[in-house]
Amino acid sequence: MAFALLLTAVAFHFIAVVTGVYDIQINQGFVWFDNVLHVIVGVAFGLWWFRILRTWRPNVSRTVTIASLFAFVLFLAISWEVSEYIFFQIFDSFALGLKVYSPSLQEAFFDAASDMVGVFILVGVLIVRKWFPATTQ
């Protein structure tokens, strides 16, 4: 499921690049579509970590699970934004062509915040679906 979500986000990113969705939104002043994709990626990375955690430590508490989900996704979000910045500094024409860059610190912050919204949604779903125990250890 996590892999399918990541592939979907990547596919929609490139569809947006080819169709000019990003250019239209850049001209309007706010690229909301990218934030939607980051929410999807936040869910996907959270699912990925949830599966790894449940494999390694199947009886870990809800508190540890939730904290580690947020920490893992935040780590990946920051790592991705730093990677985008480095890619833009070294291969600026490729980064511009692929729309894989954050033009400002504010944009990078909104991207990472959108990833965190995704993990927040995931945690809500996990609680509602009772996919981990309510007890803490």
Side-chain angles (χ1 to χ4, degrees), residues 75-91 95 100-102 108:
F75 171 76
L76 289 179
I78 291 170
S79 298
W80 177 259
E81 294 306 317
V82 169
S83 298
E84 276 188 351
Y85 177 77
I86 292 169
F87 184 66
F88 182 63
Q89 294 302 312
I90 298 172
F91 304 108
V100 182
Y101 65 95
S102 293

Side-chain angles (χ1 to χ4, degrees), residues 20-31:
V21 169
Y22 287 134
D23 294 327
I24 292 167
Q25 291 181 359
I26 287 170
N27 291 334
Q28 293 174 344
F30 183 68
V31 184

Side-chain angles (χ1 to χ4, degrees), residues 59-64 133-137:
N59 297 323
V60 71
S61 71
R62 175 191 281 193
T63 304
V64 171
T135 60
T136 57
Q137 298 174 349

Side-chain angles (χ1 to χ4, degrees), residues 28-126:
Q28 293 174 344
F30 183 68
V31 184
W32 62 267
F33 189 75
D34 186 50
N35 292 14
V36 171
L37 295 181
H38 276 277
V39 169
I40 293 169
V41 169
V43 171
F45 283 155
L47 279 171
W48 183 42
W49 177 248
F50 183 74
R51 183 177 177 131
I52 291 169
L53 187 62
R54 285 295 166 201
T55 300
W56 288 348
R57 304 224 13 223
N59 297 323
V60 71
S61 71
R62 175 191 281 193
T63 304
V64 171
T65 300
I66 292 171
S68 68
L69 279 167
F70 278 97
F72 183 76
V73 173
L74 182 61
F75 171 76
L76 289 179
I78 291 170
S79 298
W80 177 259
E81 294 306 317
V82 169
S83 298
E84 276 188 351
Y85 177 77
I86 292 169
F87 184 66
F88 182 63
Q89 294 302 312
I90 298 172
F91 304 108
D92 60 337
S93 61
F94 288 116
L96 289 170
L98 296 173
K99 304 285 190 266
V100 182
Y101 65 95
S102 293
S104 68
L105 187 58
Q106 180 181 6
E107 172 67 23
F109 173 79
F110 281 128
D111 288 350
S114 297
D115 288 318
M116 299 313 293
V117 168
V119 76
F120 184 77
I121 291 168
L122 174 63
V123 166
V125 169
L126 292 174

